[in-house]
mmCIF file of all heavy atoms in Angstrom:
data_model
loop_
_atom_site.group_PDB
_atom_site.id
_atom_site.type_symbol
_atom_site.label_atom_id
_atom_site.label_comp_id
_atom_site.label_asym_id
_atom_site.label_seq_id
_atom_site.Cartn_x
_atom_site.Cartn_y
_atom_site.Cartn_z
ATOM 1 N N LYS A 1 -0.450 -2.171 -8.332
ATOM 2 C CA LYS A 1 -0.366 -3.048 -9.487
ATOM 3 C C LYS A 1 -1.550 -2.796 -10.405
ATOM 4 O O LYS A 1 -2.657 -2.510 -9.979
ATOM 5 C CB LYS A 1 -0.338 -4.512 -9.036
ATOM 6 C CG LYS A 1 0.909 -4.847 -8.215
ATOM 7 C CD LYS A 1 0.900 -6.301 -7.811
ATOM 8 C CE LYS A 1 2.143 -6.632 -7.008
ATOM 9 N NZ LYS A 1 2.157 -8.037 -6.562
ATOM 10 N N LYS A 2 -1.331 -2.983 -11.711
ATOM 11 C CA LYS A 2 -2.347 -2.655 -12.687
ATOM 12 C C LYS A 2 -3.359 -3.773 -12.895
ATOM 13 O O LYS A 2 -4.283 -3.629 -13.680
ATOM 14 C CB LYS A 2 -1.671 -2.318 -14.035
ATOM 15 C CG LYS A 2 -0.716 -1.138 -13.950
ATOM 16 C CD LYS A 2 -1.400 0.113 -13.443
ATOM 17 C CE LYS A 2 -0.444 1.295 -13.387
ATOM 18 N NZ LYS A 2 -1.069 2.487 -12.842
ATOM 19 N N ASN A 3 -3.224 -4.894 -12.245
ATOM 20 C CA ASN A 3 -4.135 -5.997 -12.440
ATOM 21 C C ASN A 3 -5.151 -6.103 -11.305
ATOM 22 O O ASN A 3 -5.646 -7.170 -10.984
ATOM 23 C CB ASN A 3 -3.366 -7.315 -12.573
ATOM 24 C CG ASN A 3 -2.551 -7.627 -11.337
ATOM 25 O OD1 ASN A 3 -2.462 -6.814 -10.447
ATOM 26 N ND2 ASN A 3 -1.938 -8.805 -11.324
ATOM 27 N N LEU A 4 -5.465 -4.966 -10.698
ATOM 28 C CA LEU A 4 -6.368 -4.988 -9.563
ATOM 29 C C LEU A 4 -7.826 -5.177 -9.962
ATOM 30 O O LEU A 4 -8.663 -5.451 -9.130
ATOM 31 C CB LEU A 4 -6.235 -3.683 -8.772
ATOM 32 C CG LEU A 4 -4.965 -3.557 -7.938
ATOM 33 C CD1 LEU A 4 -4.908 -2.178 -7.315
ATOM 34 C CD2 LEU A 4 -4.899 -4.626 -6.861
ATOM 35 N N GLY A 5 -8.135 -4.996 -11.258
ATOM 36 C CA GLY A 5 -9.505 -5.152 -11.685
ATOM 37 C C GLY A 5 -10.260 -3.845 -11.538
ATOM 38 O O GLY A 5 -9.679 -2.769 -11.427
ATOM 39 N N PRO A 6 -11.587 -3.902 -11.552
ATOM 40 C CA PRO A 6 -12.398 -2.685 -11.468
ATOM 41 C C PRO A 6 -12.083 -1.885 -10.217
ATOM 42 O O PRO A 6 -11.755 -2.427 -9.169
ATOM 43 C CB PRO A 6 -13.833 -3.229 -11.431
ATOM 44 C CG PRO A 6 -13.744 -4.587 -12.057
ATOM 45 C CD PRO A 6 -12.390 -5.114 -11.695
ATOM 46 N N ALA A 7 -12.226 -0.578 -10.329
ATOM 47 C CA ALA A 7 -11.898 0.299 -9.200
ATOM 48 C C ALA A 7 -12.718 -0.049 -7.974
ATOM 49 O O ALA A 7 -12.251 0.071 -6.844
ATOM 50 C CB ALA A 7 -12.135 1.767 -9.592
ATOM 51 N N SER A 8 -13.932 -0.487 -8.192
ATOM 52 C CA SER A 8 -14.792 -0.795 -7.061
ATOM 53 C C SER A 8 -14.315 -2.002 -6.279
ATOM 54 O O SER A 8 -14.759 -2.247 -5.158
ATOM 55 C CB SER A 8 -16.218 -1.052 -7.547
ATOM 56 O OG SER A 8 -16.235 -2.159 -8.440
ATOM 57 N N GLN A 9 -13.394 -2.804 -6.853
ATOM 58 C CA GLN A 9 -12.916 -4.006 -6.212
ATOM 59 C C GLN A 9 -11.546 -3.829 -5.569
ATOM 60 O O GLN A 9 -10.906 -4.788 -5.176
ATOM 61 C CB GLN A 9 -12.872 -5.167 -7.221
ATOM 62 C CG GLN A 9 -14.230 -5.516 -7.793
ATOM 63 C CD GLN A 9 -14.134 -6.615 -8.836
ATOM 64 O OE1 GLN A 9 -13.101 -7.257 -8.983
ATOM 65 N NE2 GLN A 9 -15.217 -6.829 -9.556
ATOM 66 N N LEU A 10 -11.061 -2.598 -5.485
ATOM 67 C CA LEU A 10 -9.751 -2.356 -4.886
ATOM 68 C C LEU A 10 -9.727 -2.878 -3.454
ATOM 69 O O LEU A 10 -10.670 -2.684 -2.692
ATOM 70 C CB LEU A 10 -9.433 -0.857 -4.887
ATOM 71 C CG LEU A 10 -9.023 -0.268 -6.243
ATOM 72 C CD1 LEU A 10 -8.840 1.224 -6.108
ATOM 73 C CD2 LEU A 10 -7.750 -0.912 -6.757
ATOM 74 N N ASP A 11 -8.616 -3.535 -3.098
ATOM 75 C CA ASP A 11 -8.436 -4.133 -1.787
ATOM 76 C C ASP A 11 -7.853 -3.097 -0.837
ATOM 77 O O ASP A 11 -6.715 -2.659 -1.002
ATOM 78 C CB ASP A 11 -7.503 -5.344 -1.915
ATOM 79 C CG ASP A 11 -7.347 -6.106 -0.604
ATOM 80 O OD1 ASP A 11 -7.618 -5.521 0.456
ATOM 81 O OD2 ASP A 11 -6.944 -7.276 -0.664
ATOM 82 N N ALA A 12 -8.636 -2.694 0.163
ATOM 83 C CA ALA A 12 -8.168 -1.653 1.089
ATOM 84 C C ALA A 12 -6.913 -2.080 1.824
ATOM 85 O O ALA A 12 -6.012 -1.273 2.052
ATOM 86 C CB ALA A 12 -9.272 -1.327 2.083
ATOM 87 N N GLU A 13 -6.807 -3.356 2.198
ATOM 88 C CA GLU A 13 -5.621 -3.827 2.898
ATOM 89 C C GLU A 13 -4.395 -3.756 2.005
ATOM 90 O O GLU A 13 -3.296 -3.420 2.443
ATOM 91 C CB GLU A 13 -5.840 -5.254 3.401
ATOM 92 C CG GLU A 13 -6.771 -5.357 4.589
ATOM 93 C CD GLU A 13 -6.296 -4.516 5.770
ATOM 94 O OE1 GLU A 13 -5.093 -4.571 6.078
ATOM 95 O OE2 GLU A 13 -7.111 -3.799 6.358
ATOM 96 N N ALA A 14 -4.564 -4.061 0.719
ATOM 97 C CA ALA A 14 -3.440 -3.961 -0.223
ATOM 98 C C ALA A 14 -2.991 -2.514 -0.366
ATOM 99 O O ALA A 14 -1.798 -2.222 -0.484
ATOM 100 C CB ALA A 14 -3.830 -4.530 -1.581
ATOM 101 N N ILE A 15 -3.958 -1.608 -0.350
ATOM 102 C CA ILE A 15 -3.623 -0.184 -0.437
ATOM 103 C C ILE A 15 -2.760 0.227 0.754
ATOM 104 O O ILE A 15 -1.734 0.881 0.619
ATOM 105 C CB ILE A 15 -4.911 0.670 -0.485
ATOM 106 C CG1 ILE A 15 -5.658 0.399 -1.792
ATOM 107 C CG2 ILE A 15 -4.580 2.155 -0.357
ATOM 108 C CD1 ILE A 15 -7.047 1.001 -1.823
ATOM 109 N N LEU A 16 -3.191 -0.195 1.950
ATOM 110 C CA LEU A 16 -2.430 0.152 3.147
ATOM 111 C C LEU A 16 -1.044 -0.466 3.117
ATOM 112 O O LEU A 16 -0.059 0.159 3.512
ATOM 113 C CB LEU A 16 -3.189 -0.308 4.388
ATOM 114 C CG LEU A 16 -4.463 0.487 4.723
ATOM 115 C CD1 LEU A 16 -5.166 -0.133 5.915
ATOM 116 C CD2 LEU A 16 -4.143 1.947 4.987
ATOM 117 N N LYS A 17 -0.952 -1.707 2.628
ATOM 118 C CA LYS A 17 0.346 -2.373 2.543
ATOM 119 C C LYS A 17 1.284 -1.595 1.632
ATOM 120 O O LYS A 17 2.457 -1.370 1.958
ATOM 121 C CB LYS A 17 0.164 -3.794 2.034
ATOM 122 C CG LYS A 17 1.460 -4.584 1.938
ATOM 123 C CD LYS A 17 1.187 -6.005 1.447
ATOM 124 C CE LYS A 17 2.495 -6.790 1.315
ATOM 125 N NZ LYS A 17 2.234 -8.171 0.817
ATOM 126 N N ASP A 18 0.796 -1.170 0.458
ATOM 127 C CA ASP A 18 1.622 -0.397 -0.462
ATOM 128 C C ASP A 18 2.006 0.946 0.140
ATOM 129 O O ASP A 18 3.137 1.406 -0.005
ATOM 130 C CB ASP A 18 0.881 -0.165 -1.781
ATOM 131 C CG ASP A 18 0.963 -1.358 -2.715
ATOM 132 O OD1 ASP A 18 1.723 -2.292 -2.394
ATOM 133 O OD2 ASP A 18 0.273 -1.357 -3.745
ATOM 134 N N ALA A 19 1.070 1.562 0.846
ATOM 135 C CA ALA A 19 1.368 2.867 1.440
ATOM 136 C C ALA A 19 2.440 2.748 2.507
ATOM 137 O O ALA A 19 3.351 3.567 2.587
ATOM 138 C CB ALA A 19 0.086 3.453 2.042
ATOM 139 N N ARG A 20 2.335 1.691 3.340
ATOM 140 C CA ARG A 20 3.358 1.489 4.369
ATOM 141 C C ARG A 20 4.722 1.221 3.741
ATOM 142 O O ARG A 20 5.740 1.692 4.213
ATOM 143 C CB ARG A 20 2.946 0.336 5.273
ATOM 144 C CG ARG A 20 1.748 0.657 6.166
ATOM 145 C CD ARG A 20 1.512 -0.442 7.183
ATOM 146 N NE ARG A 20 0.392 -0.109 8.046
ATOM 147 C CZ ARG A 20 -0.832 -0.624 7.909
ATOM 148 N NH1 ARG A 20 -1.077 -1.502 6.942
ATOM 149 N NH2 ARG A 20 -1.795 -0.265 8.724
ATOM 150 N N ARG A 21 4.754 0.466 2.645
ATOM 151 C CA ARG A 21 6.013 0.202 1.970
ATOM 152 C C ARG A 21 6.600 1.480 1.404
ATOM 153 O O ARG A 21 7.804 1.711 1.436
ATOM 154 C CB ARG A 21 5.803 -0.820 0.848
ATOM 155 C CG ARG A 21 7.119 -1.285 0.206
ATOM 156 C CD ARG A 21 6.885 -2.103 -1.056
ATOM 157 N NE ARG A 21 6.300 -1.265 -2.086
ATOM 158 C CZ ARG A 21 5.148 -1.513 -2.673
ATOM 159 N NH1 ARG A 21 4.411 -2.536 -2.318
ATOM 160 N NH2 ARG A 21 4.670 -0.709 -3.624
ATOM 161 N N GLU A 22 5.751 2.353 0.854
ATOM 162 C CA GLU A 22 6.236 3.610 0.303
ATOM 163 C C GLU A 22 6.845 4.482 1.394
ATOM 164 O O GLU A 22 7.850 5.158 1.176
ATOM 165 C CB GLU A 22 5.092 4.366 -0.384
ATOM 166 C CG GLU A 22 4.668 3.751 -1.705
ATOM 167 C CD GLU A 22 5.756 3.844 -2.756
ATOM 168 O OE1 GLU A 22 6.565 4.788 -2.708
ATOM 169 O OE2 GLU A 22 5.809 2.966 -3.624
ATOM 170 N N LEU A 23 6.244 4.483 2.582
ATOM 171 C CA LEU A 23 6.820 5.276 3.669
ATOM 172 C C LEU A 23 8.161 4.719 4.100
ATOM 173 O O LEU A 23 9.134 5.447 4.216
ATOM 174 C CB LEU A 23 5.854 5.298 4.858
ATOM 175 C CG LEU A 23 4.726 6.332 4.756
ATOM 176 C CD1 LEU A 23 3.698 6.092 5.820
ATOM 177 C CD2 LEU A 23 5.273 7.734 4.839
ATOM 178 N N ALA A 24 8.225 3.419 4.358
ATOM 179 C CA ALA A 24 9.478 2.732 4.681
ATOM 180 C C ALA A 24 10.323 3.507 5.677
ATOM 181 O O ALA A 24 11.518 3.683 5.507
ATOM 182 C CB ALA A 24 10.276 2.478 3.400
ATOM 183 N N LEU A 25 9.734 3.995 6.736
ATOM 184 C CA LEU A 25 10.443 4.836 7.690
ATOM 185 C C LEU A 25 10.945 4.018 8.872
ATOM 186 O O LEU A 25 10.260 3.120 9.344
ATOM 187 C CB LEU A 25 9.512 5.934 8.220
ATOM 188 C CG LEU A 25 8.953 6.882 7.163
ATOM 189 C CD1 LEU A 25 8.018 7.877 7.830
ATOM 190 C CD2 LEU A 25 10.064 7.607 6.450
ATOM 191 N N PRO A 26 12.140 4.307 9.414
ATOM 192 C CA PRO A 26 12.634 3.616 10.594
ATOM 193 C C PRO A 26 11.831 3.983 11.828
ATOM 194 O O PRO A 26 10.977 4.853 11.822
ATOM 195 C CB PRO A 26 14.087 4.085 10.701
ATOM 196 C CG PRO A 26 14.152 5.339 9.929
ATOM 197 C CD PRO A 26 13.127 5.235 8.849
ATOM 198 N N SER A 27 12.165 3.317 12.952
ATOM 199 C CA SER A 27 11.340 3.418 14.150
ATOM 200 C C SER A 27 11.217 4.842 14.670
ATOM 201 O O SER A 27 10.188 5.211 15.232
ATOM 202 C CB SER A 27 11.926 2.528 15.250
ATOM 203 O OG SER A 27 13.260 2.902 15.524
ATOM 204 N N ARG A 28 12.233 5.656 14.486
ATOM 205 C CA ARG A 28 12.150 7.013 15.030
ATOM 206 C C ARG A 28 11.163 7.869 14.246
ATOM 207 O O ARG A 28 10.905 9.000 14.605
ATOM 208 C CB ARG A 28 13.528 7.675 15.033
ATOM 209 C CG ARG A 28 14.153 7.839 13.670
ATOM 210 C CD ARG A 28 15.504 8.525 13.797
ATOM 211 N NE ARG A 28 16.212 8.562 12.528
ATOM 212 C CZ ARG A 28 17.226 9.381 12.280
ATOM 213 N NH1 ARG A 28 17.629 10.210 13.210
ATOM 214 N NH2 ARG A 28 17.830 9.360 11.123
ATOM 215 N N ARG A 29 10.592 7.318 13.139
ATOM 216 C CA ARG A 29 9.627 8.073 12.356
ATOM 217 C C ARG A 29 8.234 7.455 12.450
ATOM 218 O O ARG A 29 7.401 7.637 11.576
ATOM 219 C CB ARG A 29 10.074 8.119 10.901
ATOM 220 C CG ARG A 29 11.491 8.664 10.760
ATOM 221 C CD ARG A 29 12.000 8.484 9.351
ATOM 222 N NE ARG A 29 13.450 8.458 9.344
ATOM 223 C CZ ARG A 29 14.182 8.248 8.271
ATOM 224 N NH1 ARG A 29 13.628 8.036 7.122
ATOM 225 N NH2 ARG A 29 15.500 8.227 8.346
#
């Protein structure tokens, strides 16, 4: 999302959440 604020304030957990959603792989993956 573009409202994350300064780059130094990026939320690492939010990054991981988005990355996991992008993968969206079933259990065999």
Side-chain angles (χ1 to χ4, degrees):
K1 296 181 180 178
K2 300 303 181 183
N3 61 353
L4 286 175
S8 61
Q9 298 177 11
L10 284 176
D11 185 339
E13 286 303 315
I15 293 170
L16 289 176
K17 181 179 179 181
D18 279 352
R20 290 188 179 102
R21 187 190 66 238
E22 287 294 331
L23 278 169
L25 300 178
S27 58
R28 62 179 173 162
R29 305 170 204 177

